[in-house]
Amino acid sequence: MSDEYRTQIAGHELSPESLMMGYGYRPEWSEGALKSPIFQTSTFTFESAAEGKRFFEIAYGLAEPSAGESMGLIYSRLNNPDLEILEKRLTLWDGAEQSLVFASGMAAITTTLLTFLEPGSVLVHTCPLYGGTDHFIHHVLPRFGVDTVEWRHGMTTGEVGALVGDRSLTAVLMETPANPTNDLFSIRAARNLADRYRNEENSVPVMVDNTFLGPMWQHPLRHGADIVLYSATKYIGGHSDLIAGASLGSHELMAQVGQMRTILGTMATPLTGWLMMRSLETLSLRMTRQNENAMKVATFLANHPKVARVSYLGLLDPQDDGYQIYEEQCEGPGAMISLWVEGGEEEAFRFLDSLQLAKLAVSLGSTESLIQHPASMTHAGVDPDDKIRLGVTDSLVRLSVGVENPSDIIADLRNALESI
Ligand SMILES: *Cc1c(COP(=O)(O)O)cnc(C)c1O
Protein backbone atom coordinates (compact mmCIF):
# COMPACT_ATOMS: atom_id res chain seq x y z
CA MET A 1 0.00 0.00 0.00
CA SER A 2 1.37 3.41 -0.94
CA ASP A 3 2.14 5.87 1.83
CA GLU A 4 -0.83 8.12 1.26
CA TYR A 5 -3.21 5.28 2.10
CA ARG A 6 -1.36 3.83 5.10
CA THR A 7 -3.97 3.11 7.79
CA GLN A 8 -1.95 0.96 10.19
CA ILE A 9 1.40 0.77 11.94
CA ALA A 10 2.69 -2.75 12.61
CA GLY A 11 -0.83 -4.15 12.68
CA HIS A 12 -2.22 -1.30 14.81
CA GLU A 13 -5.23 0.30 13.09
CA LEU A 14 -5.07 4.10 12.99
CA SER A 15 -8.17 6.12 13.87
CA PRO A 16 -9.72 8.77 11.62
CA GLU A 17 -8.46 11.52 14.03
CA SER A 18 -4.87 10.50 13.24
CA LEU A 19 -5.42 10.15 9.50
CA MET A 20 -7.04 13.54 8.87
CA MET A 21 -3.71 15.36 8.52
CA GLY A 22 -2.23 13.33 5.67
CA TYR A 23 -4.43 10.51 4.33
CA GLY A 24 -4.85 10.56 0.57
CA TYR A 25 -2.03 13.06 -0.06
CA ARG A 26 1.72 12.85 -0.79
CA PRO A 27 3.99 15.91 -0.37
CA GLU A 28 6.02 14.92 -3.46
CA TRP A 29 2.97 15.67 -5.61
CA SER A 30 3.38 19.36 -4.66
CA GLU A 31 7.05 20.33 -4.28
CA GLY A 32 7.16 18.72 -0.81
CA ALA A 33 4.40 20.94 0.58
CA LEU A 34 3.27 19.38 3.88
CA LYS A 35 -0.28 20.52 3.19
CA SER A 36 -2.10 20.01 -0.06
CA PRO A 37 -2.19 23.30 -2.01
CA ILE A 38 -5.45 24.71 -3.32
CA PHE A 39 -5.63 23.37 -6.88
CA GLN A 40 -7.29 26.52 -8.16
CA THR A 41 -7.66 25.39 -11.75
CA SER A 42 -10.64 24.71 -13.98
CA THR A 43 -8.93 22.20 -16.26
CA PHE A 44 -6.00 19.73 -16.42
CA THR A 45 -3.60 19.00 -19.27
CA PHE A 46 -3.28 15.51 -20.75
CA GLU A 47 0.16 14.09 -21.50
CA SER A 48 -1.09 12.71 -24.80
CA ALA A 49 -4.28 12.54 -26.83
CA ALA A 50 -4.54 8.82 -26.03
CA GLU A 51 -4.41 9.61 -22.31
CA GLY A 52 -7.23 12.17 -22.67
CA LYS A 53 -9.31 9.60 -24.54
CA ARG A 54 -8.75 6.98 -21.82
CA PHE A 55 -9.66 9.43 -19.01
CA PHE A 56 -12.97 10.23 -20.73
CA GLU A 57 -13.76 6.55 -21.36
CA ILE A 58 -13.50 5.91 -17.63
CA ALA A 59 -15.25 9.14 -16.60
CA TYR A 60 -18.27 8.37 -18.78
CA GLY A 61 -18.38 4.67 -17.92
CA LEU A 62 -17.53 3.63 -21.53
CA ALA A 63 -14.73 1.39 -20.25
CA GLU A 64 -14.03 -0.36 -16.96
CA PRO A 65 -10.90 0.89 -15.16
CA SER A 66 -8.23 -1.80 -14.93
CA ALA A 67 -6.96 -2.88 -11.49
CA GLY A 68 -5.37 0.08 -9.69
CA GLU A 69 -6.40 2.55 -12.39
CA SER A 70 -8.34 5.58 -11.15
CA MET A 71 -10.11 8.34 -13.02
CA GLY A 72 -7.55 10.81 -14.38
CA LEU A 73 -7.88 14.53 -13.77
CA ILE A 74 -9.93 16.17 -16.53
CA TYR A 75 -11.90 19.25 -15.50
CA SER A 76 -12.89 20.58 -12.06
CA ARG A 77 -16.62 19.92 -12.54
CA LEU A 78 -15.73 16.19 -12.75
CA ASN A 79 -12.85 15.99 -10.27
CA ASN A 80 -10.12 18.03 -8.60
CA PRO A 81 -7.31 16.95 -6.24
CA ASP A 82 -8.65 18.95 -3.28
CA LEU A 83 -12.03 17.25 -3.60
CA GLU A 84 -10.55 13.80 -4.19
CA ILE A 85 -8.29 13.94 -1.12
CA LEU A 86 -11.13 15.32 1.01
CA GLU A 87 -13.52 12.64 -0.26
CA LYS A 88 -11.06 9.90 0.75
CA ARG A 89 -10.76 11.39 4.24
CA LEU A 90 -14.51 11.76 4.69
CA THR A 91 -15.14 8.05 4.02
CA LEU A 92 -13.07 7.08 7.09
CA TRP A 93 -15.50 8.40 9.73
CA ASP A 94 -18.57 6.62 8.35
CA GLY A 95 -16.83 3.51 7.02
CA ALA A 96 -18.07 4.30 3.49
CA GLU A 97 -16.42 2.99 0.32
CA GLN A 98 -16.72 6.35 -1.39
CA SER A 99 -17.89 9.90 -0.81
CA LEU A 100 -18.70 12.90 -2.96
CA VAL A 101 -18.64 16.55 -1.88
CA PHE A 102 -21.05 19.20 -3.06
CA ALA A 103 -21.56 22.97 -3.14
CA SER A 104 -24.09 22.75 -0.25
CA GLY A 105 -26.08 20.28 1.83
CA MET A 106 -29.05 20.97 -0.47
CA ALA A 107 -26.88 20.22 -3.54
CA ALA A 108 -25.92 16.85 -1.98
CA ILE A 109 -29.52 15.98 -1.05
CA THR A 110 -31.17 17.04 -4.32
CA THR A 111 -28.48 15.52 -6.57
CA THR A 112 -28.65 12.21 -4.67
CA LEU A 113 -32.47 12.09 -4.78
CA LEU A 114 -32.55 12.93 -8.51
CA THR A 115 -30.14 10.04 -9.15
CA PHE A 116 -32.63 7.46 -7.89
CA LEU A 117 -36.08 8.96 -8.56
CA GLU A 118 -38.06 9.14 -11.83
CA PRO A 119 -41.70 9.70 -12.81
CA GLY A 120 -43.85 7.16 -10.94
CA SER A 121 -41.32 6.69 -8.12
CA VAL A 122 -42.54 6.57 -4.51
CA LEU A 123 -40.36 8.18 -1.83
CA VAL A 124 -40.99 7.59 1.89
CA HIS A 125 -39.58 10.38 4.07
CA THR A 126 -39.50 11.03 7.80
CA CYS A 127 -41.25 14.15 9.04
CA PRO A 128 -40.28 16.88 9.97
CA LEU A 129 -37.42 17.51 7.55
CA TYR A 130 -35.02 20.42 7.09
CA GLY A 131 -37.00 23.25 5.40
CA GLY A 132 -35.11 23.17 2.09
CA THR A 133 -35.43 19.38 1.80
CA ASP A 134 -39.14 19.62 2.67
CA HIS A 135 -39.66 22.24 -0.05
CA PHE A 136 -37.83 20.14 -2.68
CA ILE A 137 -39.90 17.06 -1.82
CA HIS A 138 -43.28 18.80 -1.73
CA HIS A 139 -42.90 21.48 -4.40
CA VAL A 140 -40.28 20.29 -6.90
CA LEU A 141 -40.45 16.47 -7.03
CA PRO A 142 -44.23 16.38 -7.72
CA ARG A 143 -43.59 18.38 -10.94
CA PHE A 144 -41.56 15.38 -12.10
CA GLY A 145 -44.23 12.84 -11.17
CA VAL A 146 -42.67 11.58 -7.92
CA ASP A 147 -45.11 10.53 -5.15
CA THR A 148 -44.16 11.05 -1.52
CA VAL A 149 -45.32 9.31 1.67
CA GLU A 150 -44.81 10.89 5.11
CA TRP A 151 -43.40 8.80 7.94
CA ARG A 152 -44.50 10.78 10.96
CA HIS A 153 -42.91 10.44 14.36
CA GLY A 154 -44.57 7.60 16.30
CA MET A 155 -45.80 5.70 13.21
CA THR A 156 -44.81 2.03 12.91
CA THR A 157 -43.27 0.87 9.62
CA GLY A 158 -46.41 -1.27 9.20
CA GLU A 159 -48.45 1.94 9.15
CA VAL A 160 -46.01 3.53 6.70
CA GLY A 161 -46.18 0.42 4.49
CA ALA A 162 -49.99 0.68 4.49
CA LEU A 163 -49.67 4.23 3.08
CA VAL A 164 -47.37 2.97 0.33
CA GLY A 165 -50.09 0.39 -0.40
CA ASP A 166 -49.60 -1.72 -3.52
CA ARG A 167 -47.26 0.79 -5.17
CA SER A 168 -43.60 -0.17 -5.28
CA LEU A 169 -41.36 1.82 -2.97
CA THR A 170 -38.34 3.45 -4.67
CA ALA A 171 -36.32 4.98 -1.80
CA VAL A 172 -36.46 6.12 1.84
CA LEU A 173 -35.12 9.47 3.06
CA MET A 174 -34.64 9.94 6.81
CA GLU A 175 -33.52 12.77 9.04
CA THR A 176 -32.78 11.58 12.55
CA PRO A 177 -32.62 13.24 15.04
CA ALA A 178 -35.32 15.48 13.60
CA ASN A 179 -34.91 19.23 13.63
CA PRO A 180 -35.82 21.08 15.88
CA THR A 181 -37.36 18.58 18.32
CA ASN A 182 -34.65 15.87 18.50
CA ASP A 183 -37.23 13.12 17.74
CA LEU A 184 -35.53 9.87 16.68
CA PHE A 185 -36.42 7.41 13.89
CA SER A 186 -35.06 3.86 13.63
CA ILE A 187 -32.67 3.29 10.71
CA ARG A 188 -33.04 -0.50 11.19
CA ALA A 189 -36.83 -0.21 10.83
CA ALA A 190 -36.37 1.79 7.61
CA ARG A 191 -34.06 -0.93 6.27
CA ASN A 192 -36.67 -3.60 7.02
CA LEU A 193 -39.37 -1.57 5.30
CA ALA A 194 -37.18 -0.99 2.21
CA ASP A 195 -36.27 -4.69 2.02
CA ARG A 196 -39.92 -5.64 1.62
CA TYR A 197 -39.91 -3.85 -1.75
CA ARG A 198 -36.43 -4.78 -2.91
CA ASN A 199 -36.11 -6.57 -6.26
CA GLU A 200 -33.61 -7.05 -9.10
CA GLU A 201 -34.38 -3.68 -10.63
CA ASN A 202 -34.37 -1.57 -7.49
CA SER A 203 -32.31 -1.93 -4.33
CA VAL A 204 -34.60 0.64 -2.55
CA PRO A 205 -31.81 2.79 -1.06
CA VAL A 206 -32.23 4.08 2.50
CA MET A 207 -30.67 7.55 2.80
CA VAL A 208 -30.01 9.27 6.12
CA ASP A 209 -29.37 13.00 6.56
CA ASN A 210 -26.84 12.67 9.39
CA THR A 211 -26.08 16.40 9.79
CA PHE A 212 -27.03 16.63 13.50
CA LEU A 213 -24.92 13.77 14.93
CA GLY A 214 -22.41 12.84 12.27
CA PRO A 215 -19.81 11.95 11.55
CA MET A 216 -18.87 11.42 15.23
CA TRP A 217 -22.01 10.29 17.04
CA GLN A 218 -24.03 8.29 14.51
CA HIS A 219 -22.87 5.99 11.69
CA PRO A 220 -25.97 5.09 9.65
CA LEU A 221 -24.17 2.68 7.27
CA ARG A 222 -23.57 0.36 10.26
CA HIS A 223 -27.31 0.24 10.96
CA GLY A 224 -28.58 -0.67 7.50
CA ALA A 225 -28.54 2.64 5.60
CA ASP A 226 -27.12 2.73 2.05
CA ILE A 227 -26.34 6.44 1.77
CA VAL A 228 -25.33 9.10 4.31
CA LEU A 229 -26.01 12.76 3.50
CA TYR A 230 -24.54 15.84 5.15
CA SER A 231 -24.85 19.54 5.24
CA ALA A 232 -21.07 19.94 5.69
CA THR A 233 -21.80 23.60 6.39
CA LYS A 234 -22.54 22.45 9.96
CA TYR A 235 -20.24 20.20 12.07
CA ILE A 236 -17.90 19.11 9.25
CA GLY A 237 -17.06 22.68 8.15
CA GLY A 238 -17.61 23.75 11.73
CA HIS A 239 -16.52 27.42 11.65
CA SER A 240 -19.52 29.22 10.07
CA ASP A 241 -17.31 30.15 7.11
CA LEU A 242 -18.33 27.84 4.26
CA ILE A 243 -21.33 26.16 2.60
CA ALA A 244 -20.88 22.52 1.50
CA GLY A 245 -22.46 19.07 1.47
CA ALA A 246 -21.57 15.39 1.10
CA SER A 247 -23.06 12.06 0.02
CA LEU A 248 -21.44 8.75 1.07
CA GLY A 249 -22.02 5.07 0.28
CA SER A 250 -20.84 2.13 -1.83
CA HIS A 251 -18.72 2.54 -4.98
CA GLU A 252 -21.72 1.34 -7.00
CA LEU A 253 -24.20 3.91 -5.67
CA MET A 254 -21.67 6.76 -5.60
CA ALA A 255 -20.71 6.12 -9.24
CA GLN A 256 -24.35 6.87 -10.14
CA VAL A 257 -24.56 9.93 -7.88
CA GLY A 258 -21.18 11.15 -9.20
CA GLN A 259 -22.43 11.07 -12.80
CA MET A 260 -25.47 13.13 -11.80
CA ARG A 261 -23.18 15.60 -9.99
CA THR A 262 -21.07 15.97 -13.14
CA ILE A 263 -24.15 16.74 -15.23
CA LEU A 264 -25.80 19.11 -12.73
CA GLY A 265 -22.48 20.75 -11.80
CA THR A 266 -23.27 20.66 -8.06
CA MET A 267 -19.71 19.92 -6.88
CA ALA A 268 -17.82 22.03 -4.32
CA THR A 269 -15.05 24.43 -5.37
CA PRO A 270 -11.34 23.64 -4.73
CA LEU A 271 -11.17 26.34 -2.01
CA THR A 272 -14.17 24.87 -0.19
CA GLY A 273 -12.58 21.43 -0.42
CA TRP A 274 -9.34 22.78 1.02
CA LEU A 275 -11.15 24.54 3.88
CA MET A 276 -13.01 21.33 4.74
CA MET A 277 -9.72 19.39 4.94
CA ARG A 278 -8.49 22.00 7.41
CA SER A 279 -11.76 21.58 9.36
CA LEU A 280 -11.58 17.76 9.46
CA GLU A 281 -8.28 17.90 11.36
CA THR A 282 -10.15 19.22 14.43
CA LEU A 283 -13.51 17.50 13.87
CA SER A 284 -13.14 15.04 16.74
CA LEU A 285 -11.75 17.71 19.12
CA ARG A 286 -14.56 20.12 18.31
CA MET A 287 -17.42 17.63 18.42
CA THR A 288 -16.14 16.03 21.63
CA ARG A 289 -15.90 19.41 23.37
CA GLN A 290 -19.31 20.51 22.01
CA ASN A 291 -20.82 17.27 23.30
CA GLU A 292 -19.30 17.76 26.80
CA ASN A 293 -20.37 21.41 26.88
CA ALA A 294 -23.91 20.56 25.76
CA MET A 295 -24.35 18.03 28.58
CA LYS A 296 -23.42 20.71 31.15
CA VAL A 297 -25.58 23.37 29.48
CA ALA A 298 -28.60 21.04 29.13
CA THR A 299 -28.35 20.01 32.80
CA PHE A 300 -28.21 23.68 33.83
CA LEU A 301 -31.24 24.55 31.65
CA ALA A 302 -33.29 21.55 32.81
CA ASN A 303 -32.98 22.79 36.41
CA HIS A 304 -33.74 26.46 35.72
CA PRO A 305 -37.16 27.77 36.88
CA LYS A 306 -37.64 29.92 33.73
CA VAL A 307 -37.22 26.87 31.48
CA ALA A 308 -40.41 24.80 31.08
CA ARG A 309 -38.84 21.88 29.20
CA VAL A 310 -35.57 20.74 27.63
CA SER A 311 -35.12 18.20 24.84
CA TYR A 312 -31.55 16.87 24.68
CA LEU A 313 -30.50 13.34 23.72
CA GLY A 314 -28.08 13.20 26.66
CA LEU A 315 -30.99 13.59 29.11
CA LEU A 316 -33.27 10.84 27.71
CA ASP A 317 -34.70 8.47 30.36
CA PRO A 318 -35.27 4.75 29.71
CA GLN A 319 -39.04 5.36 29.70
CA ASP A 320 -38.73 8.20 27.13
CA ASP A 321 -39.88 7.60 23.64
CA GLY A 322 -36.74 7.34 21.53
CA TYR A 323 -34.50 5.94 24.27
CA GLN A 324 -34.40 2.49 22.64
CA ILE A 325 -33.50 3.96 19.25
CA TYR A 326 -30.84 6.17 20.87
CA GLU A 327 -29.26 3.11 22.52
CA GLU A 328 -29.30 1.20 19.26
CA GLN A 329 -27.95 3.71 16.75
CA CYS A 330 -26.40 6.76 18.47
CA GLU A 331 -22.92 6.90 20.03
CA GLY A 332 -23.24 10.28 21.71
CA PRO A 333 -25.92 12.93 22.28
CA GLY A 334 -24.29 15.69 20.20
CA ALA A 335 -24.74 19.37 20.98
CA MET A 336 -28.23 20.39 19.82
CA ILE A 337 -30.57 21.48 22.61
CA SER A 338 -34.22 22.47 22.30
CA LEU A 339 -35.66 24.44 25.22
CA TRP A 340 -39.11 25.84 25.86
CA VAL A 341 -38.94 28.97 28.02
CA GLU A 342 -41.76 29.92 30.41
CA GLY A 343 -44.11 32.21 28.44
CA GLY A 344 -44.43 32.75 24.69
CA GLU A 345 -42.80 34.67 21.86
CA GLU A 346 -42.32 37.83 23.92
CA GLU A 347 -40.39 35.99 26.65
CA ALA A 348 -38.41 33.94 24.09
CA PHE A 349 -37.43 37.13 22.22
CA ARG A 350 -36.43 38.93 25.43
CA PHE A 351 -34.23 35.97 26.31
CA LEU A 352 -32.65 35.89 22.81
CA ASP A 353 -32.07 39.65 22.74
CA SER A 354 -30.30 39.52 26.13
CA LEU A 355 -27.64 37.00 25.13
CA GLN A 356 -24.13 38.39 24.76
CA LEU A 357 -21.92 35.40 23.95
CA ALA A 358 -24.21 33.03 22.00
CA LYS A 359 -24.92 34.43 18.52
CA LEU A 360 -28.50 34.97 17.35
CA ALA A 361 -28.27 33.22 13.98
CA VAL A 362 -29.56 30.14 12.15
CA SER A 363 -27.20 27.29 11.18
CA LEU A 364 -25.53 25.01 13.73
CA GLY A 365 -22.48 22.91 14.50
CA SER A 366 -20.03 25.79 14.63
CA THR A 367 -17.28 26.69 17.08
CA GLU A 368 -19.43 29.52 18.45
CA SER A 369 -22.76 28.79 20.15
CA LEU A 370 -25.69 29.66 17.85
CA ILE A 371 -29.25 30.22 18.99
CA GLN A 372 -32.52 30.88 17.13
CA HIS A 373 -36.33 30.82 17.37
CA PRO A 374 -37.62 27.99 15.09
CA ALA A 375 -41.31 29.06 15.00
CA SER A 376 -40.45 32.47 13.48
CA MET A 377 -37.14 31.62 11.78
CA THR A 378 -36.08 28.17 10.46
CA HIS A 379 -39.61 26.72 10.64
CA ALA A 380 -41.56 29.89 9.74
CA GLY A 381 -42.92 28.18 6.61
CA VAL A 382 -44.31 25.09 8.40
CA ASP A 383 -48.11 24.71 8.43
CA PRO A 384 -49.51 26.10 11.78
CA ASP A 385 -51.25 22.79 12.69
CA ASP A 386 -48.04 20.86 11.99
CA LYS A 387 -46.10 23.30 14.18
CA ILE A 388 -48.39 22.53 17.12
CA ARG A 389 -48.24 18.79 16.46
CA LEU A 390 -44.42 18.93 16.34
CA GLY A 391 -44.10 21.09 19.46
CA VAL A 392 -42.67 24.04 17.48
CA THR A 393 -44.39 26.60 19.71
CA ASP A 394 -43.62 30.29 20.29
CA SER A 395 -41.67 29.49 23.47
CA LEU A 396 -39.24 27.09 21.72
CA VAL A 397 -35.61 28.12 21.28
CA ARG A 398 -32.96 25.98 19.55
CA LEU A 399 -29.39 26.13 20.79
CA SER A 400 -26.30 24.72 19.04
CA VAL A 401 -23.60 24.56 21.71
CA GLY A 402 -20.10 25.64 20.64
CA VAL A 403 -16.59 25.09 21.97
CA GLU A 404 -16.45 28.11 24.31
CA ASN A 405 -15.70 27.60 27.99
CA PRO A 406 -18.92 25.97 29.31
CA SER A 407 -19.03 28.22 32.39
CA ASP A 408 -19.14 31.26 30.07
CA ILE A 409 -22.00 29.79 28.02
CA ILE A 410 -23.92 29.04 31.22
CA ALA A 411 -23.25 32.55 32.63
CA ASP A 412 -24.60 34.06 29.40
CA LEU A 413 -27.74 31.86 29.48
CA ARG A 414 -28.32 32.50 33.21
CA ASN A 415 -28.06 36.25 32.71
CA ALA A 416 -30.42 36.22 29.71
CA LEU A 417 -32.98 33.96 31.45
CA GLU A 418 -33.22 36.55 34.23
CA SER A 419 -34.57 39.06 31.70
CA ILE A 420 -37.68 36.92 31.04
C1 LIG B 1 -28.51 22.97 7.04
C2 LIG B 1 -29.13 21.65 6.76
C3 LIG B 1 -29.36 21.22 5.44
C4 LIG B 1 -29.03 22.08 4.24
O1 LIG B 1 -27.67 22.29 4.11
P1 LIG B 1 -27.01 23.58 3.36
O2 LIG B 1 -25.56 23.34 3.52
O3 LIG B 1 -27.53 24.79 4.06
O4 LIG B 1 -27.48 23.52 1.94
C5 LIG B 1 -29.88 19.95 5.25
N1 LIG B 1 -30.21 19.16 6.30
C6 LIG B 1 -30.04 19.55 7.57
C7 LIG B 1 -30.42 18.63 8.68
C8 LIG B 1 -29.50 20.81 7.86
O5 LIG B 1 -29.34 21.19 9.13
Side-chain angles (χ1 to χ4, degrees), residues 2 4 186 201 211 226 228 236 286 319 374:
S2 55
E4 71 268 26
S186 166
E201 271 134 60
T211 301
D226 300 293
V228 183
I236 294 174
R286 287 184 282 112
Q319 65 274 17

mmCIF file of all heavy atoms in Angstrom, residues 2 4 186 201 211 226 228 236 286 319 374:
data_model
loop_
_atom_site.group_PDB
_atom_site.id
_atom_site.type_symbol
_atom_site.label_atom_id
_atom_site.label_comp_id
_atom_site.label_asym_id
_atom_site.label_seq_id
_atom_site.Cartn_x
_atom_site.Cartn_y
_atom_site.Cartn_z
ATOM 1 N N SER A 2 0.551 2.197 -0.876
ATOM 2 C CA SER A 2 1.372 3.405 -0.940
ATOM 3 C C SER A 2 1.134 4.241 0.312
ATOM 4 O O SER A 2 0.122 4.110 0.987
ATOM 5 C CB SER A 2 1.047 4.186 -2.206
ATOM 6 O OG SER A 2 -0.332 4.456 -2.253
ATOM 7 N N GLU A 4 0.317 7.238 1.031
ATOM 8 C CA GLU A 4 -0.830 8.122 1.262
ATOM 9 C C GLU A 4 -2.065 7.380 1.747
ATOM 10 O O GLU A 4 -3.014 8.003 2.200
ATOM 11 C CB GLU A 4 -1.129 8.989 0.031
ATOM 12 C CG GLU A 4 -1.704 8.268 -1.173
ATOM 13 C CD GLU A 4 -0.643 7.793 -2.153
ATOM 14 O OE1 GLU A 4 0.515 7.564 -1.730
ATOM 15 O OE2 GLU A 4 -0.969 7.639 -3.338
ATOM 16 N N SER A 186 -35.938 5.037 13.685
ATOM 17 C CA SER A 186 -35.061 3.864 13.626
ATOM 18 C C SER A 186 -34.582 3.580 12.200
ATOM 19 O O SER A 186 -35.390 3.329 11.296
ATOM 20 C CB SER A 186 -35.803 2.645 14.182
ATOM 21 O OG SER A 186 -35.103 1.468 13.840
ATOM 22 N N GLU A 201 -34.508 -4.993 -9.989
ATOM 23 C CA GLU A 201 -34.381 -3.683 -10.635
ATOM 24 C C GLU A 201 -34.069 -2.556 -9.659
ATOM 25 O O GLU A 201 -33.475 -1.564 -10.026
ATOM 26 C CB GLU A 201 -35.678 -3.323 -11.364
ATOM 27 C CG GLU A 201 -35.720 -3.810 -12.783
ATOM 28 C CD GLU A 201 -37.049 -4.476 -13.089
ATOM 29 O OE1 GLU A 201 -38.081 -3.795 -12.966
ATOM 30 O OE2 GLU A 201 -37.038 -5.674 -13.415
ATOM 31 N N THR A 211 -26.701 15.105 9.465
ATOM 32 C CA THR A 211 -26.085 16.398 9.790
ATOM 33 C C THR A 211 -25.974 16.659 11.292
ATOM 34 O O THR A 211 -24.978 17.189 11.767
ATOM 35 C CB THR A 211 -26.900 17.530 9.126
ATOM 36 O OG1 THR A 211 -26.899 17.309 7.715
ATOM 37 C CG2 THR A 211 -26.328 18.898 9.430
ATOM 38 N N ASP A 226 -27.972 2.875 3.240
ATOM 39 C CA ASP A 226 -27.124 2.734 2.051
ATOM 40 C C ASP A 226 -26.349 4.010 1.757
ATOM 41 O O ASP A 226 -25.281 3.962 1.157
ATOM 42 C CB ASP A 226 -27.993 2.427 0.827
ATOM 43 C CG ASP A 226 -28.777 1.155 1.008
ATOM 44 O OD1 ASP A 226 -28.150 0.091 1.051
ATOM 45 O OD2 ASP A 226 -30.019 1.233 1.149
ATOM 46 N N VAL A 228 -25.342 8.087 3.261
ATOM 47 C CA VAL A 228 -25.332 9.103 4.313
ATOM 48 C C VAL A 228 -25.203 10.463 3.636
ATOM 49 O O VAL A 228 -24.376 10.629 2.726
ATOM 50 C CB VAL A 228 -24.147 8.899 5.284
ATOM 51 C CG1 VAL A 228 -24.203 9.913 6.418
ATOM 52 C CG2 VAL A 228 -24.158 7.495 5.853
ATOM 53 N N ILE A 236 -19.094 19.458 10.019
ATOM 54 C CA ILE A 236 -17.896 19.105 9.250
ATOM 55 C C ILE A 236 -17.090 20.367 8.930
ATOM 56 O O ILE A 236 -15.898 20.439 9.192
ATOM 57 C CB ILE A 236 -18.270 18.295 7.993
ATOM 58 C CG1 ILE A 236 -18.846 16.938 8.410
ATOM 59 C CG2 ILE A 236 -17.053 18.112 7.087
ATOM 60 C CD1 ILE A 236 -19.388 16.091 7.281
ATOM 61 N N ARG A 286 -13.437 19.181 18.211
ATOM 62 C CA ARG A 286 -14.564 20.119 18.307
ATOM 63 C C ARG A 286 -15.825 19.406 18.770
ATOM 64 O O ARG A 286 -16.509 19.843 19.689
ATOM 65 C CB ARG A 286 -14.826 20.778 16.939
ATOM 66 C CG ARG A 286 -13.779 21.798 16.535
ATOM 67 C CD ARG A 286 -14.149 22.488 15.210
ATOM 68 N NE ARG A 286 -13.875 21.689 14.033
ATOM 69 C CZ ARG A 286 -14.776 21.159 13.224
ATOM 70 N NH1 ARG A 286 -16.069 21.339 13.454
ATOM 71 N NH2 ARG A 286 -14.438 20.441 12.177
ATOM 72 N N GLN A 319 -37.616 5.425 30.071
ATOM 73 C CA GLN A 319 -39.039 5.359 29.702
ATOM 74 C C GLN A 319 -39.411 6.356 28.599
ATOM 75 O O GLN A 319 -40.519 6.338 28.087
ATOM 76 C CB GLN A 319 -39.968 5.520 30.928
ATOM 77 C CG GLN A 319 -39.913 6.864 31.618
ATOM 78 C CD GLN A 319 -38.788 6.926 32.668
ATOM 79 O OE1 GLN A 319 -37.864 6.102 32.676
ATOM 80 N NE2 GLN A 319 -38.843 7.900 33.553
ATOM 81 N N PRO A 374 -37.111 28.747 16.247
ATOM 82 C CA PRO A 374 -37.620 27.994 15.092
ATOM 83 C C PRO A 374 -38.979 28.472 14.572
ATOM 84 O O PRO A 374 -39.158 28.607 13.359
ATOM 85 C CB PRO A 374 -37.692 26.551 15.611
ATOM 86 C CG PRO A 374 -36.650 26.490 16.675
ATOM 87 C CD PRO A 374 -36.678 27.843 17.327
#
